Amino acid sequence: MDDQRTHIISALVLHKPGVLQRVAGLFTRRGFNIESITVGTSEQEDIARMTIIAKGDGKVLEQITKQLNKIIDVIKVRDLEPENTVKRELCLIKVHSPTEKVRAEVVQYVNIFRGRVIDVSPETLTIEMTGASDKIDALIDLVKGFGIKEIARTGPTAMSRGIKTI
Amino acid sequence: MRGGEALLKSLENQGVDVVFGYPGGQLLPLYDMIYDSDLKHILVRHEQCAAHAADGYARASGKVGVCIATSGPGATNLVTGIATAYMDSSPIVAIAGQVPTGLIGNDAFQEVDTIGMTMPITKHNFQPITSKEIPEMVKSAFYIAGTGRPGPVVLDLPKDVQEQELDFENDVKITLPGYKPTRKGHPLQIKRAASLIGSAKKPVILAGGGVIISNSSEELLKLSELVGAPVTTSLLGKGSFPEDHDLSLGMLGMHGRLPANFAVDKCDCLIAVGCRFSDRTTGKISEFAKNAKIVHIDIDPAEIGKNVDVDIPIVGDAKIILSNLIRAISQNKMSSKSMEWVNRVKNFKQTCIPKMSFDNMPLKPQQVIKEISEAVDDDTIMTTDVGQNQMWMAHYFTSRKPKTFLSSGGLGTMGFGFPAAIGAKVAMPESDVVAVCGDGGFLMVSQELATVKEYDIPVVICVLDNRYLGMVAQWQNLFYEKRLSHTHLGESPDFVKLAEAFGVAANRVERPGELREVLSSAINSGEPTLIDITIDPDEILPMVPPGCGLTEIVGEYKTESNNSEDVPYRETAKERAGD
């Protein structure tokens, strides 16, 4: 129970104003470490799905899920098992690429990582990359040398593999 | 029907008979509608006291208390009262005015983000943007406040919504998919607990406020007698078990009774019911009940394992779980009730009955509590303020019935006692209500003397007047080299004259033997009365220093059997406990 590890918490919440504040406020208030939080619509109308990446030992995680469950607008909370979970993050990277040669090189890397170039200007290329967070880190590392103008990452969103739902 | 009227109608449907409130600009429409309604409204003199009064009403009656204040400063003044109710799981619905929807977010006059501000101190909060949301929100608010682990709910009511027309429906449905409190305990867990408790040689029960909230005092008494488990309580659990019972240990914790602290240290099985193991109750966690297996019964799953690791958690309503537990234990004749343990505890109790009679002047607080005890009956509702007055009452006063000892435990809000007494008296007009306050805390809310006078609410206020912020001074004396930094309050005011200025009857008591008579006649007068009791500022209550185990007590403990006033509490106590 003492091992500090990263947890993927999936929560179904009522799609209402203030619900993100209720959840985020809880984390600050109780001193829980939160790495990222994503919110979006779910398969059900009026219900949003939140994916929270948080660090802590088993005891902390138990408190996080219990305290989340106490929020009236939170319907369901589940700690997803990492090995049985698909987890993806979206990242946009704007790379400084003033010459033909640099652009060709960047495009090559992007292809290897199965990313896409979604915007080109005389000075920049903007890459879209979806994948596991460590893959995104690796691509960022590779193109860093050319000069990165901007990065926007969503933080991971996740769900259980197979037929299981929460 | 307009939004404000829908609110009033919804309150009526919830059975609300009285509200404590204070009007203001953004509540003008609602108050105009109250003018025409039958709702009883008590105008307090400060919004904080509206919240405390609603809280006192709730704690004394078990019903949801209601308070109303305007936007901005009205709402911020409610905050302390709401947080107090939240920490002690008291069901109140606080209604706040808000600027019109079109102005929200513009830093309008008297605008404050009430929803954001009260999120961390409420079970939930609502802000209707259209009037047609009001009936469902009010119904949900009362349902949430009063069920599960009770707590405060805020309704933030914009001015324009109060005036907006709607079609009112009486039987509105509420949908709260994220709120399903567990009531029945898990049968397997109950079975496991029954066999653990049944085989325990030295069981102790720790009863918290949850026992009182769930009305399970009867079950608690039954279980205690069935298995021979002495009962200690948290501060909020005081009254859940008759403290004159053979098996009562009194309060546990930092200012706990000696037998309670030692029994918890020695027990092999601790049955904690409806309590949250606050740091003031447990002392140093690693030392707490270190020889015991712990059963924890609570309706809030988040309390399980939060502060103390437990062996058998049971989530649900204490009343249901305790009855099932009793049935399981008696059916299987599992109880190996140990008379040896019961007798040992009884004998230990006999050796440390606190000395209550002192003929000193200024009066010793023990003598004061003794005389208060003699003047009130079992049904008298006692409220306390926060600080030494509270701990003296908790330590020395004998409570016999649930919902008769009201005190701000978790938040420790000075100024709670008097307004809570007002709420309690309004809720339970047939009961006598006595507020025991310190001079510091009472002065924070003394303007409510106007309220008790205007509405003729006959509460009696005992001001334990030592001209010090006694508890802080006690800590300064014990842990800060007696450097009494800003804890002396000086000679002002004269509390008797203060009360008289409000038209409230007042007396001063300075001599031993006087208070009993004065308090009795104040109670019998049927009028609000203040009694200013001059007490000794130097009396220190024995305590467990923060961060220490429950048996590491400092300070002198004066007992009936040992009149030497300078016996170090710690040594003798350990000796007596048979270490």
Side-chain angles (χ1 to χ4, degrees):
Chain A
M1 290 288 268
D2 289 320
D3 58 325
Q4 290 276 325
R5 93 178 161 83
T6 303
H7 296 269
I8 314 155
I9 300 160
S10 184
L12 290 176
V13 303
L14 290 179
H15 206 341
K16 272 187 172 175
V19 66
L20 182 60
Q21 192 187 349
R22 289 182 202 279
V23 171
L26 172 76
F27 276 80
T28 325
R29 201 156 70 236
R30 300 260 171 201
F32 301 141
N33 277 323
I34 186 169
E35 276 180 18
S36 76
I37 185 165
T38 68
V39 202
T41 51
S42 72
E43 70 285 358
Q44 299 169 72
E45 213 185 325
D46 303 332
I47 292 180
R49 187 180 299 272
M50 271 189 194
T51 308
I52 300 156
I53 310 292
K55 236 187 187 142
D57 60 20
K59 206 175 160 171
V60 167
L61 185 85
E62 189 184 321
Q63 264 299 304
I64 292 178
T65 49
K66 282 174 170 177
Q67 294 292 349
L68 278 173
N69 264 317
K70 275 177 76 169
I71 299 174
I72 306 283
D73 286 345
V74 172
I75 299 167
K76 240 182 200 180
V77 182
R78 183 78 40 88
D79 179 25
L80 301 177
E81 305 161 21
E83 56 275 19
N84 287 319
T85 299
V86 284
K87 195 172 90 174
R88 288 291 180 271
E89 182 178 1
L90 167 66
C91 175
L92 302 179
I93 314 164
K94 192 177 284 178
V95 186
H96 182 57
S97 48
T99 66
E100 197 61 42
K101 188 168 164 274
V102 171
R103 275 199 285 273
E105 227 174 310
V106 172
V107 169
Q108 223 177 354
Y109 288 136
V110 170
N111 285 338
I112 295 170
F113 277 83
R114 300 210 182 113
R116 288 200 304 157
V117 174
I118 53 168
D119 185 56
V120 189
S121 79
E123 298 282 312
T124 60
L125 277 179
T126 301
I127 305 163
E128 174 203 315
M129 163 86 190
T130 306
S133 301
D134 54 346
K135 287 274 159 53
I136 294 172
D137 294 341
L139 177 62
I140 290 171
D141 260 357
L142 276 174
V143 298
K144 213 186 249 166
F146 306 113
I148 290 174
K149 295 272 189 197
E150 232 178 0
I151 290 179
R153 297 177 73 151
T154 58
T157 187
M159 61 172 63
S160 297
R161 287 182 192 279
I163 199 160
K164 241 200 216 162
T165 58
I166 82 151
Chain B
M1 188 184 276
R2 290 169 295 169
E5 289 160 327
L7 172 75
L8 296 176
K9 183 72 190 147
S10 303
L11 291 180
E12 191 192 314
N13 288 348
Q14 290 298 323
V16 174
D17 50 6
V18 61
V19 298
F20 304 90
Y22 203 99
Q26 305 301 351
L27 280 178
L28 278 163
L30 179 67
Y31 269 85
D32 191 57
M33 299 169 206
I34 290 176
Y35 194 75
D36 287 330
S37 88
D38 296 330
L39 183 68
K40 187 173 170 196
H41 177 282
I42 290 180
L43 176 68
V44 292
R45 282 355 188 223
H46 188 294
E47 291 93 341
Q48 182 180 327
C49 294
H52 288 327
D55 187 348
Y57 176 96
R59 293 186 203 217
S61 66
K63 294 191 284 183
V64 177
V66 182
C67 56
I68 305 181
T70 192
S71 66
T76 56
N77 279 345
L78 283 181
V79 164
T80 302
I82 296 169
T84 305
Y86 184 67
M87 287 290 265
D88 291 349
S89 312
S90 180
I92 66 169
V93 169
I95 297 161
Q98 184 54 280
V99 301
T101 47
L103 285 177
I104 289 177
N106 288 2
D107 300 321
F109 176 65
Q110 292 193 328
E111 180 186 0
V112 75
D113 175 13
T114 303
I115 291 291
M117 209 168 57
T118 57
M119 253 178 212
I121 53 163
T122 51
K123 231 177 132 175
H124 199 54
N125 52 21
F126 294 98
Q127 184 185 59
I129 297 301
T130 59
S131 59
K132 63 175 190 291
E133 298 168 73
I134 289 175
E136 188 186 337
M137 281 184 178
V138 174
K139 197 170 177 183
S140 301
F142 276 79
Y143 179 65
I144 292 168
T147 56
R149 176 179 182 174
V153 176
V154 163
L155 268 173
D156 191 34
L157 205 58
K159 189 179 189 184
D160 54 334
V161 176
Q162 296 165 35
E163 290 176 308
Q164 203 177 63
E165 289 288 333
L166 75 151
D167 292 326
F168 186 82
E169 274 181 65
N170 264 320
D171 51 347
V172 61
K173 279 207 172 63
I174 58 170
T175 41
L176 296 164
Y179 182 66
K180 293 186 193 80
T182 312
R183 298 197 65 231
K184 283 187 183 167
H186 196 287
L188 195 68
Q189 293 295 86
I190 293 174
K191 220 172 133 187
R192 287 178 59 207
S195 85
L196 174 71
I197 296 166
S199 62
K201 292 275 167 286
K202 296 184 280 182
V204 166
I205 298 173
L206 165 57
V211 174
I212 295 171
I213 293 169
S214 66
N215 293 313
S216 43
S217 289
E218 233 174 87
E219 288 80 3
L220 176 71
L221 182 63
K222 239 186 233 174
L223 177 68
S224 156
E225 290 177 344
L226 176 67
V227 300
V231 178
T232 177
T233 73
S234 67
L235 175 69
L236 288 190
K238 206 173 156 73
S240 62
F241 191 80
E243 290 186 310
D244 51 356
H245 192 284
D246 261 358
L247 286 168
S248 169
L249 296 165
M251 187 180 72
L252 177 72
M254 178 176 273
H255 297 284
R257 283 243 181 152
L258 205 71
N261 285 14
F262 277 89
V264 166
D265 188 59
K266 299 260 171 297
C267 70
D268 64 354
C269 172
L270 183 72
I271 308 145
V273 192
C275 74
R276 62 184 177 87
F277 297 111
S278 112
D279 55 297
R280 288 298 194 260
T281 301
T282 62
K284 190 181 184 182
I285 290 282
S286 58
E287 292 291 310
F288 178 73
K290 56 182 184 294
N291 305 309
K293 295 265 188 221
I294 301 179
V295 178
H296 188 191
I297 299 166
D298 204 285
I299 199 158
D300 180 358
E303 288 304 338
I304 308 287
K306 189 183 81 180
N307 295 340
V308 167
D309 291 330
V310 299
D311 299 280
I312 305 177
I314 315 174
V315 175
D317 184 89
K319 195 177 182 74
I320 300 173
I321 294 170
L322 285 177
S323 355
N324 289 337
L325 203 51
I326 291 163
R327 196 172 314 131
I329 294 172
S330 38
Q331 265 173 5
N332 301 329
K333 298 195 172 57
M334 282 197 286
S335 174
S336 58
K337 184 169 170 176
S338 159
M339 286 320 287
E340 192 198 326
W341 171 241
V342 171
N343 288 333
R344 186 170 155 200
V345 169
K346 273 191 208 165
N347 290 339
F348 184 46
K349 259 175 72 178
Q350 280 305 316
T351 66
C352 44
I353 296 167
K355 178 172 159 62
M356 299 292 285
S357 303
F358 292 86
D359 49 15
N360 309 45
M361 276 185 60
L363 286 162
K364 289 280 184 196
Q366 292 92 326
Q367 174 72 21
V368 171
I369 308 292
K370 179 177 167 258
E371 292 191 42
I372 290 175
S373 308
E374 288 163 359
V376 302
D377 63 36
D378 290 0
D379 293 307
T380 305
I381 297 168
M382 308 298 299
T383 74
T384 81
D385 222 79
V386 166
Q388 281 185 321
N389 63 84
Q390 177 186 35
M391 288 302 123
W392 285 325
M393 278 296 285
H395 193 100
Y396 296 115
F397 185 82
T398 304
S399 284
R400 294 174 180 87
K401 290 190 178 177
K403 300 194 171 90
T404 62
F405 188 91
L406 317 184
S407 191
S408 164
L411 198 67
T413 308
M414 279 175 72
F416 173 82
F418 178 29
I422 295 174
K425 184 68 192 178
V426 170
M428 310 294 281
E430 302 304 317
S431 299
D432 300 326
V433 179
V434 177
V436 177
C437 305
D439 47 331
F442 175 71
L443 201 55
M444 288 183 170
V445 292
S446 56
Q447 77 285 342
E448 299 306 322
L449 287 167
T451 311
V452 292
K453 178 66 187 171
E454 288 301 323
Y455 291 90
D456 193 19
I457 302 168
V459 299
V460 181
I461 310 136
C462 294
V463 179
L464 271 50
D465 185 356
N466 61 7
R467 300 285 154 177
Y468 273 93
L469 298 173
M471 185 58 90
V472 183
Q474 167 162 342
W475 284 52
Q476 289 170 336
N477 275 319
L478 289 172
F479 310 120
Y480 291 87
E481 296 163 359
K482 301 189 194 257
R483 289 152 56 87
L484 296 177
S485 182
H486 302 278
T487 39
H488 182 47
L489 292 167
E491 294 316 307
S492 177
D494 179 325
F495 285 99
V496 172
K497 283 188 183 156
L498 179 71
E500 284 167 356
F502 284 94
V504 170
N507 285 292
R508 179 166 289 121
V509 165
E510 289 170 320
R511 291 164 201 289
E514 282 177 355
L515 178 59
R516 188 191 156 153
E517 192 51 41
V518 172
L519 179 54
S520 293
S521 47
I523 291 170
N524 294 331
S525 74
E527 273 179 50
T529 310
L530 181 145
I531 306 171
D532 181 29
I533 308 160
T534 309
I535 62 159
D536 181 0
D538 295 324
E539 184 62 23
I540 280 183
L541 186 67
M543 67 176 289
V544 176
C548 289
L550 285 179
T551 56
E552 297 174 63
I553 300 157
V554 299
E556 298 164 9
Y557 196 79
K558 294 149 195 166
T559 64
E560 288 292 357
S561 54
N562 186 349
N563 287 341
S564 160
E565 292 190 9
D566 50 12
V567 175
Y569 178 79
R570 193 165 155 180
E571 265 63 51
T572 51
K574 279 209 165 171
E575 243 167 63
R576 284 191 214 122
D579 259 6

